[in-house]
Amino acid sequence: MAKDTLLIGASGGIGAALSKALEPGRLVTLSRSADGLDITDETSIKAAAARLTGPFVRIIDATGALEIDGRGPEKSLSEVDPEAFARQFALNATGPALLLKHFAPLMASDGPTVFVSLSARVGSIGDNHLGGWYSYRAAKAALNQILRTASIEMRRHNRQSVVAALHPGTVATPLTQRYLGRHKSVAPEEAAQNLLAVIARLQPEHSGGFFDYAMQEIMW
């Protein structure tokens, strides 16, 4: 039986729940803890891709982080730090772009295919009413643009391809523990089921879009 789904970031809170929810016999997983995959290092990504043959019809990128090296979101401009900004972009924007670069060629060349990355509603420029969180917001906004742009290129090669950004909602994981209570949160297992339901509904006309866990489109 073909292993037609690749899950990247399978050891994180949402990634682990997705791994449990997906059909094992049709699933390939990659993670930093199990495979040494470092999405901020192109050499690591290239080596991981070279070990796989595909073709995959679904690639789910469940990587990303709100806090990096213990540094949380900025509350004001006075907290903006260039090194923290660069780390946010390396993990939450450049990393997924490199995943597309090296793993998209492993996707099926015809028929329906789906590549999704986990974004965040705070990456929406139009929905930003609270301010703050400069580097995380900017990195996720950049991720959304990367996915939108990739969707155009990939459609030229396969008109049935879908590339989309997905917002999982506020998910109760160790990485978000300090920020729970501001919004309704769900367990990783529920988030995984919600995301898989959205992925199952994605069609070519949705490619390049930004959707939440209930398949509601989010403004850019």
Side-chain angles (χ1 to χ4, degrees):
M1 182 179 294
K3 293 179 180 291
D4 54 15
T5 300
L6 173 62
L7 171 63
I8 305 170
S11 62
I14 299 175
L18 284 166
S19 181
K20 291 179 181 178
L22 289 163
E23 187 177 345
R26 305 184 70 88
L27 176 67
V28 176
T29 62
L30 288 173
S31 69
R32 182 169 189 140
S33 61
D35 307 287
L37 176 64
D38 180 358
I39 73 162
T40 67
D41 178 2
E42 185 172 13
T43 300
S44 176
I45 295 172
K46 186 176 180 179
R51 295 194 295 268
L52 303 178
T53 56
F56 297 102
V57 297
R58 292 193 298 184
I59 296 182
I60 303 172
D61 167 27
T63 65
L66 175 57
E67 290 191 1
I68 300 175
D69 297 331
R71 191 178 185 98
E74 308 91 348
K75 295 180 180 179
S76 67
L77 281 168
S78 64
E79 296 179 9
V80 169
D81 175 79
E83 292 185 1
F85 238 88
R87 287 194 292 271
Q88 279 288 342
F89 268 75
L91 181 62
N92 289 312
T94 309
L98 292 172
L99 293 178
L100 277 160
K101 176 182 177 180
H102 291 285
F103 289 104
L106 297 177
M107 302 193 78
S109 59
D110 57 12
T113 63
V114 175
F115 184 107
V116 296
S117 281
L118 299 190
S119 186
R121 187 179 294 274
V122 295
S124 165
I125 296 173
D127 193 44
N128 182 357
H129 305 290
L130 297 176
W133 293 34
Y134 286 89
S135 58
Y136 185 70
R137 284 185 186 275
K140 288 299 189 181
L143 168 63
N144 293 345
Q145 180 69 289
I146 289 163
L147 294 167
R148 175 81 170 195
T149 305
S151 73
I152 297 169
E153 179 176 350
M154 292 175 67
R155 186 172 176 82
R156 295 186 186 124
H157 302 286
N158 180 357
R159 296 191 64 80
Q160 295 188 70
S161 68
V162 177
V163 180
L166 300 185
H167 167 58
T170 302
V171 184
T173 70
L175 294 179
T176 61
Q177 188 173 5
R178 292 176 54 190
Y179 307 96
L180 298 178
R182 303 179 188 182
H183 304 281
K184 179 184 176 181
S185 63
V186 298
E189 294 75 16
E190 182 177 346
Q193 292 297 334
N194 291 338
L195 290 168
L196 291 174
V198 172
I199 291 170
R201 293 173 60 186
L202 290 173
Q203 299 295 320
E205 60 265 28
H206 300 124
S207 194
F210 183 18
F211 304 94
D212 72 5
Y213 53 88
M215 196 68 186
Q216 297 299 307
E217 192 162 9
I218 301 173
M219 68 176 71
W220 297 116

